[in-house]
Amino acid sequence: VLSLFSISVILVFYKIISSAHKDIVLWVTVIAIIGTALSIVDFASVGVKAPRIAHQFSSYTAIEKSVAIIIGIPHIDPCFLSWGLLGIWSSVCNWFALKNKLLPKTICYIGIFGSCLYMLVFLGSLFQKQLIVDIAVGGGGLIIAPIWYIWFGLIIKKIYGHTNCAG
C-alpha cells in the first residue's frame, strides 16, 4: 500500500521540479514509477508466498527446512531493483530541488542521503552482502524515508493547503 501511495508523491514531486529540467526529471519519474510498480508486485507476491511457506514448513524434512531457510522467500525482484530505481529518482529530484531552491535544503539533503541508502540496498543485494542490505534498509526504509515522506507531505500541505495537489 505504501508503494502504491508513493506514486502520488512521485507525481507531485515531478510537478514541483519539472520546470527546472523537464526531460531528465520526466525520465527519472518514469523510472521511479517502474520501480514502485515493481515493488508493489514483489511485496504482494511475498505477501502471498510467505504464509504458504510458513504453513508448509512444519511438514518439511530437516534438509528441506534448511534449504527453505537458506533460500528464504523468493522475490520477483531478487536484487531489489525497485529500491535502486527509486534511489536514482530520489537523488536526481532532490538534487534539482536543492539546486533550484524549490524545497528547503535540509529535506533535500535527507532525500539525497536516503537515495544513497536505497542504492546500497540494490548494490548489497546484487553483490549478496546481507549486512549492507540490512543496514541500508534499516536506515533508509525505516528511518530516513518516513522522515522525508512526512516532511514532504507537510511542505505540500503548506504549499497547496487543502486543495487538490494534482490540480
Side-chain angles (χ1 to χ4, degrees):
V1 172
L2 179 61
S3 294
L4 184 60
F5 289 142
S6 292
I7 293 173
S8 63
V9 172
I10 291 165
L11 294 174
V12 170
F13 207 136
Y14 171 79
K15 182 176 180 177
I16 290 171
I17 64 169
S18 64
S19 61
H21 303 277
K22 196 164 192 94
D23 292 338
I24 192 149
V25 172
L26 178 60
W27 181 71
V28 296
T29 298
V30 170
I31 284 174
I33 291 172
I34 291 168
T36 303
L38 182 56
S39 73
I40 291 168
V41 172
D42 185 50
F43 286 135
S45 172
V46 168
V48 168
K49 291 174 187 171
R52 289 180 186 161
I53 292 170
H55 180 72
Q56 296 170 348
F57 191 79
S58 62
S59 66
Y60 290 173
T61 66
I63 293 174
E64 290 171 330
K65 286 179 182 179
S66 296
V67 170
I69 291 169
I70 290 169
I71 293 174
I73 298 171
H75 285 267
I76 291 170
D77 180 13
C79 287
F80 300 100
L81 179 61
S82 57
W83 288 61
L85 294 176
L86 287 169
I88 291 168
W89 165 77
S90 180
S91 63
V92 170
C93 290
N94 279 288
W95 172 253
F96 284 148
L98 176 68
K99 182 179 166 188
N100 295 293
K101 299 177 180 162
L102 300 170
L103 293 172
K105 286 182 183 181
T106 307
I107 191 172
C108 295
Y109 287 129
I110 290 170
I112 292 167
F113 179 64
S115 304
C116 294
L117 292 172
Y118 272 30
M119 288 187 264
L120 278 177
V121 172
F122 167 70
L123 292 173
S125 297
L126 184 64
F127 295 111
Q128 299 179 358
K129 302 293 182 189
Q130 191 58 45
L131 181 60
I132 293 172
V133 173
D134 292 344
I135 291 169
V137 167
L142 299 176
I143 298 170
I144 300 300
I147 291 169
W148 186 90
Y149 274 93
I150 291 167
W151 194 351
F152 185 71
L154 294 172
I155 290 169
I156 294 307
K157 184 176 179 183
K158 184 177 180 181
I159 290 172
Y160 291 102
H162 298 293
T163 62
N164 180 357
C165 291

